Every structure is written in C-alpha cells, then in structure tokens.
Amino acid sequence: MNLGCYQTIQFPRNGKTRFPSSHPLKSLHLKGNKIGNVKFGNFQASQRRRDCSLMLKSMLSVDSAVETEGKEGVSTDSKYDAIVIGSGIGGLVAATQLAVKGAKVLVLEKYVIPGGSSGYYQRDGYTFDVGSSVMFGFSDKGNLNLITQALAAVGREMEVIPDPTTVHFHLPHNLSVRVHKEYSEFIEELTSKFPHEKEGILRFYGECWKIFNALNSLQLKSLEEPIYLFGQFFQKPLECLTLAYYLPQNAGDIARKYVKDPQLLSFIDAECFIVSTVNALRTPMINAGMVLCDRHFGGINYPVGGVGRIAESLAEGLVDQGSEILYRANVASIILDQGKAVGVRLSDGRDFFARTIISNATRWDTFGKLLKGENLPKEEENFQKVYVKAPSFLSIHVGVKADVLPPDTDCHHFVLEDDWTRLEEPYGSIFLSIPTVLDSSLAPKGHHILHIFTTSSIEDWEGLPPKDYEAKKELIAQEIIGRLEKKLFPGLKSSIVFKEVGTPKTHRRFLARDMGTYGPMPRQIPKGLLGMPFNTTGISSLYCVGDSCFPGQGVIAVAFSGVMCAHRVAADIGLEKKSPILDSALLGLLRWFRTLA
C-alpha cells in the first residue's frame, strides 16, 4: 500500500467535476449513477471509466495543496454546531447522525476522499480496499446493522454481496475450519474437529449469543446519556443487566469455564485475534459476543464497488443534509478558550469554530498532537496506563492472474501454519482478503486482488536508509507471499502482475495514525471493557470517536462509537433531552468505574 506514487481519480464523462477545490466547503457530489441499489456518484473510482482522469500525486501534493486551495468562500468566523476531525467511518457516522438531528456539521479531512482506513485507492485498473474487507453491520434486520441504519438515515442504500464464509482458518496441526454464515453449519464443522468438546463449544458460543441478543434488542445510543440509559433499563431490564454482567469479563475466561482442549482454546484465541489483535484472555467478552454472533445473524456483506463506497455514500448524504465536508484540510491543532474546545486550526493557518469538536483521530493523536502542550487530562492518563497502541500492519496489495485460485476459493482467510505461539508475534499470523471473489469489477478481467496483511511494529522500520527500507519491504513481502504459496496457492509468485507493499510508516503517513496503530491494546489482562473511555473527554466540548473509544476496533464498533457520540453531543447542544444533574452523576460514576480497570 505504497500510496506515495500516483493515484488515478476518475471523473465523469460529462466533464462536470465537482472537486472541492472550486468551493472548499462543499463535498464531492456523488449523485448521478446507480447500479442495482447502489447509488454511485459523478466522482467515480472505477477502472471502467478511463476517458477522463486526473493524475494526483498522493499526500505529498495534498499537503502542499492545503496551502493554496480553498482560502476563499467561507469566513473563518463561521459557527458550526460540530466540527469533526477526520472522515473515518466513526467520524462520518457521528457527523451524519448529528446532521439528521438538525445540527450544522463541518467534517475536515486531510486526504482527497473520505474513509480513512475504510477508504480505497486505485492502481492499474485495480480498486484496493485500504483496510479490512470483512464488513459487518450491513444486514436488513436487528439493531446492530449500524452501517445500514447510518446510510438509511441520510437516504442512502447500497447493494451488497453476501459472503457465505466469514473466514477460512488454516491453523497448526492442519486444523482447517470454515466459519460458515449459517451458525448450525459452523457448529457442525467445529464439533466435527473437536467431538469431545461439543458441550463446551455450545456453551461458550451460547454465552456469546446471550450478549449479542441483549445488544440486538436495545436501541443503541450513548451510554453516557442517563435519560436514554435509564429508559432502556426500565424497558429491557434483563438485557441491560446481562450486558452489565459481561462488561468486566473477557472471552478467554469464559471459554476456559467450558473448554479444556488446548487446541480448541487456541482456536478461540485466533477467533478473538481477528476481532481485537489480542488473544481471548485479553479480548472483552462483549466485543467477542458482538462479532462472533453478528457474522451468523446479519452476516458478512461486501458492498458492490468496494469498501470505500460506504464513506463516499455517507459523505454524499451529509452534504444533502445541509452540512459540509472539506478535503485537503489538515488539522494541526484544537483551539481552546479557557479550557473549552472552541475550534481548530489547519496547517495553512485557517481557523474554524464550532460549539463542539469531535476528534476521529486516535486518542494519542488527539491529546499528543492536536492538543500538544496542554496538560493531559487525568482520565487520559488513566487510559494510557491501561492501554498501549496496538501494532500496525504490513500490507501487501497484489493483482494476480485469476487461474492461480481454485474455483471454490473463499474470500477471507487466516493463516498460522506451524506454531500457536506465533499468533500474536509480528509476521506470525496472516490475514488474507480476496474481495474479487465476491465483486469481480474491482480488478481487470481475468484477474483477482489479494490483500495480505500481518501485524508489524513501526520500530521495525524506523531509521532505515531508503534503499534498505525498500529492500526490507521486498524481503518480508516475498516471505509472506511464499508462505501463502506453500499453504494455499501453488504458483502464486509467478502469477503476480501487480504488487505494492505498505509498512506501519505508510499507515502513519497516509492515515495520520500515531505509529500506524489501529486502536488500543490492553497492557495486561483487562477487566473486559471497564477501562475503555467513551466519547466525552476531560476537556469541555471535546469528544472522541473511533477505535480508541468504547467499544473498540472494527467497522461495527466504530459505527457504534459514532452513534453514541452523536447522541451525547446532540444532548449537549440541545437537540436531545438532557438532565444536567443526572449527567453529572452518571459521568462521575463512569469515570469511577474506569479507575477499577
């Protein structure tokens, strides 16, 4: 994912390019085209449309463009109800939910398209997802279909392709397990591998279903807003008490109550590693229950055209609601006035002001960079004592000849060949997504995309001369690809026609993530989610949203974070009911609970 090369952005045949340079506070207008139920816009990132393209050098030119573009059109004295820093899924869900409630929102995005790690880029006719292709939250039922709900709130819908297999595990001792969409088929396959643990399997995953069913029965809003919280408790007391019971618990402890086989426990570790990049003992049970069951309830559904279409559709809906999104807008700092967040300053010196500021940056970037020089609030000190930055990833985007893949190849794979102890080690486990198994339009005819990623630390890449850096990228990429060739796809190396490699430095540079991290990781075995901060912060009118907030990492989790954040902000600016006395009591209680972690 070396995004430092040229990127092709496709514009419509009619020549009406509504790129944000002409009016800096207007989004890309995405209207005009529809495929199935997917509304695509005039701004199309499809390899099918080659007739009118603009070659943009990625972030190198974007940073300099901030200095010269968009200085006219809006006074820096403009007042918004909320400014959202960053247009990741969490930030966009928060922004659109607020806009629907009547708030005037400004989203500031450093890059030229929305999405962050749920964005995309193009090379040589391929459309690559920047991050994961495993998409939760797209079903048409229940309350955890948060992406569907967020799109519908702004009048958008997307065509999706159901994935019959969430992931195919390839594990030590030749353990192969497909996680089928149908729960009964998954349980049948898993118990066939561990017949002596059938009761333990049913009881562990049964506990996961208790959590999922409780969550899925509730109207999900801010857990920091007492009127909502007490209302839900009186309507659904059993479900709320169920969630309170599991809040301080971890998946590994629950699994060990019912399962004794070391290899099965290691399999559950691998299940949780996909959820949280840590083993089951350090994965909150609520997170595990939410993901390990939603894959069977709502299923994994891939959006036609790629994951980046989600953010584009949300951005389009945001503008239709009368709010705005500014691209090439690099926020350098948050402006405080007497300890209250009142605005932001861009790297080109422009200031924008709002009643509230919502940071979709990580908490480390928010408090370490955007508020550099300010005293770290006590609550953030406590958070950083409990959590460290999760590792980043080495990403390999590959285009291959289609005939190297067997006809029945699954879309998602997890590979750990020989040694369970390597599960959490850098380069130990391999995630593999092949989105073209579901949507062939993402690659040229007769070709597939392989998105390969494995955990990697930024310290592994610092201080290398450019030549050594490139050589190391190639060496490790060849090792990883060689492992996949040996385990899954003979002849893989010779079938490659395109390859780009991104390191944690790439993720830090283009996604503005401190050390390239993808969220928090507990320093030691945590007390479930008890230590995870919500959306409010120790600074008045400043909120955080995204994967370093409750409930953590993953698309469905950050969407949940966005919904919660929007509700809390809406209450604070008078768009939802609010009780100052109850607010003070609940927020104080939640702060105390977090000290117990």
Side-chain angles (χ1 to χ4, degrees):
M1 194 177 60
N2 183 1
L3 302 185
C5 299
Y6 283 98
Q7 176 172 358
T8 303
I9 306 293
Q10 307 289 348
F11 289 97
R13 290 189 176 93
N14 63 16
K16 295 179 180 178
T17 61
R18 299 184 183 181
F19 203 66
S21 58
S22 61
H23 192 312
L25 288 177
K26 291 298 180 185
S27 162
L28 301 168
H29 284 243
L30 306 174
K31 299 179 181 178
N33 300 287
K34 188 172 183 179
I35 300 176
N37 292 324
V38 185
K39 293 183 178 179
F40 289 97
N42 287 339
F43 178 86
Q44 287 292 323
S46 169
Q47 70 275 10
R48 310 292 185 216
R49 311 183 82 173
R50 301 177 181 275
D51 54 294
C52 182
S53 65
L54 172 66
M55 298 300 286
L56 293 173
K57 196 169 184 181
S58 281
M59 291 301 292
L60 290 176
S61 64
V62 170
D63 286 339
S64 61
V66 170
E67 303 295 332
T68 59
E69 292 202 38
K71 293 189 177 180
E72 74 288 342
V74 172
S75 167
T76 54
D77 293 329
S78 295
K79 199 73 173 175
Y80 296 88
D81 292 307
I83 289 174
V84 180
I85 304 169
S87 67
I89 295 298
L92 284 173
V93 169
T96 51
Q97 292 283 304
L98 280 169
V100 168
K101 297 175 190 292
K104 181 72 172 178
V105 183
L106 170 64
V107 177
L108 299 170
E109 169 56 48
K110 179 180 179 181
Y111 196 38
V112 296
I113 57 173
S117 56
S118 293
Y120 69 93
Y121 76 99
Q122 291 185 291
R123 296 286 189 278
D124 294 357
Y126 296 92
T127 299
F128 294 107
D129 296 330
V130 170
S132 174
S133 301
V134 183
M135 288 294 111
F136 293 90
F138 254 129
S139 74
D140 57 359
K141 57 184 178 179
N143 287 329
L144 284 173
N145 57 345
L146 297 176
I147 300 299
T148 300
Q149 291 182 43
L151 290 165
V154 290
R156 297 294 176 274
E157 60 180 352
M158 296 184 68
E159 184 180 1
V160 297
I161 304 168
D163 189 347
T165 303
T166 302
V167 62
H168 188 168
F169 285 96
H170 310 270
L171 300 169
H173 311 297
N174 291 316
L175 177 62
S176 173
V177 178
R178 279 187 171 92
V179 178
H180 302 276
K181 195 275 183 184
E182 295 300 324
Y183 179 65
S184 59
E185 293 179 19
F186 164 62
I187 291 298
E188 181 180 357
E189 176 153 344
L190 190 59
T191 54
S192 72
K193 311 289 182 180
F194 301 95
H196 55 293
E197 288 280 17
K198 182 175 181 178
E199 182 181 354
I201 289 169
L202 291 172
R203 294 187 71 178
F204 170 70
Y205 286 99
E207 298 250 358
C208 292
W209 278 107
K210 290 179 184 178
I211 293 168
F212 179 83
N213 290 332
L215 280 169
N216 203 34
S217 70
L218 300 176
Q219 184 182 12
L220 300 179
K221 291 186 178 180
S222 176
L223 302 182
E224 296 181 288
E225 200 289 292
I227 295 176
Y228 153 77
L229 200 60
F230 295 150
Q232 287 293 293
F233 182 81
F234 287 122
Q235 292 176 35
K236 304 271 188 177
L238 182 60
E239 289 82 355
C240 291
L241 289 172
T242 296
L243 295 175
Y245 172 75
Y246 285 107
L247 183 67
Q249 300 195 59
N250 300 315
D253 294 322
I254 303 293
R256 281 160 176 76
K257 287 169 57 178
Y258 305 122
V259 173
K260 305 304 177 187
D261 188 297
Q263 181 149 300
L264 179 55
L265 288 171
S266 294
F267 171 77
I268 294 172
D269 280 337
E271 286 255 76
C272 291
F273 188 72
I274 290 179
V275 174
S276 59
T277 66
V278 290
N279 62 33
L281 283 171
R282 294 199 290 167
T283 299
M285 186 62 183
I286 286 181
N287 289 49
M290 183 165 59
V291 174
L292 299 185
C293 295
D294 188 50
R295 65 191 184 184
H296 304 294
F297 181 83
I300 303 300
N301 299 282
Y302 189 78
V304 171
V307 171
R309 298 291 183 242
I310 302 171
E312 287 186 339
S313 295
L314 288 171
E316 176 189 359
L318 177 72
V319 173
D320 284 353
Q321 293 294 319
S323 287
E324 299 161 335
I325 181 165
L326 173 58
Y327 296 98
R328 304 180 176 189
N330 183 25
V331 176
S333 62
I334 295 170
I335 300 170
L336 301 184
D337 182 15
Q338 298 182 346
K340 178 180 179 180
V342 297
V344 299
R345 177 161 295 163
L346 304 190
S347 58
D348 66 355
R350 284 178 293 161
D351 295 341
F352 295 96
F353 298 93
R355 298 168 67 187
T356 58
I357 308 299
I358 301 171
S359 177
N360 194 195
T362 70
R363 297 187 93 95
W364 293 281
D365 288 292
T366 300
F367 290 94
K369 296 177 182 178
L370 301 181
L371 286 165
K372 192 173 183 179
E374 300 294 331
N375 292 328
L376 191 65
K378 182 66 176 177
E379 193 164 331
E380 297 305 317
E381 286 185 11
N382 293 337
F383 166 72
Q384 293 186 20
K385 288 177 183 177
V386 177
Y387 292 93
V388 296
K389 304 176 190 75
S392 187
F393 293 95
L394 178 84
S395 299
I396 311 169
H397 286 100
V398 175
V400 300
K401 296 175 183 176
D403 57 9
V404 76
L405 304 184
D408 60 346
T409 298
D410 295 306
C411 181
H412 299 105
H413 301 258
F414 183 86
V415 178
L416 177 65
E417 307 96 309
D418 302 319
D419 187 351
W420 284 111
T421 63
R422 295 195 65 201
L423 175 69
E424 298 177 79
E425 292 181 1
Y427 318 115
S429 305
I430 303 172
F431 303 85
L432 169 63
S433 292
I434 315 173
T436 43
V437 167
L438 301 175
D439 184 359
S440 61
S441 73
L442 301 174
K445 187 176 181 180
H447 294 78
H448 276 295
I449 285 173
L450 273 64
H451 181 193
I452 308 159
F453 45 112
T454 182
T455 55
S456 178
S457 170
I458 200 166
E459 288 85 359
D460 222 14
W461 300 91
E462 298 279 35
L464 295 174
K467 186 176 179 180
D468 293 346
Y469 176 75
E470 293 298 326
K472 184 171 182 175
K473 283 203 302 183
E474 182 62 21
L475 176 64
I476 295 180
Q478 287 299 316
E479 290 176 354
I480 297 295
I481 292 169
R483 288 168 60 187
L484 293 178
E485 182 176 56
K486 181 178 179 181
K487 185 69 178 179
L488 300 179
F489 308 125
L492 177 59
K493 286 185 177 180
S494 62
S495 76
I496 293 173
V497 297
F498 176 90
K499 182 179 73 192
E500 276 194 335
V501 183
T503 73
K505 292 179 70 174
T506 316
H507 292 260
R508 179 179 65 183
R509 180 182 181 192
F510 295 107
L511 301 178
R513 287 178 164 273
D514 192 3
M515 301 180 71
T517 182
Y518 273 75
M521 183 174 71
R523 290 182 183 271
Q524 52 193 2
I525 295 177
K527 296 179 180 177
L529 280 172
L530 208 57
M532 275 294 276
F534 291 95
N535 303 111
T536 60
T537 72
I539 293 176
S540 177
S541 298
L542 175 64
Y543 306 80
C544 285
V545 68
D547 55 22
S548 53
C549 302
F550 178 95
Q553 300 159 311
V555 171
I556 193 172
V558 298
F560 189 3
S561 172
V563 170
M564 290 192 296
C565 186
H567 182 220
R568 181 64 259 181
V569 171
D572 289 341
I573 63 177
L575 298 177
E576 295 273 8
K577 292 180 180 179
K578 177 180 177 178
S579 169
I581 294 175
L582 292 177
D583 276 352
S584 178
L586 177 61
L587 293 175
L589 181 64
L590 292 173
R591 283 193 292 270
W592 177 75
F593 272 131
R594 285 194 285 274
T595 66
L596 301 180

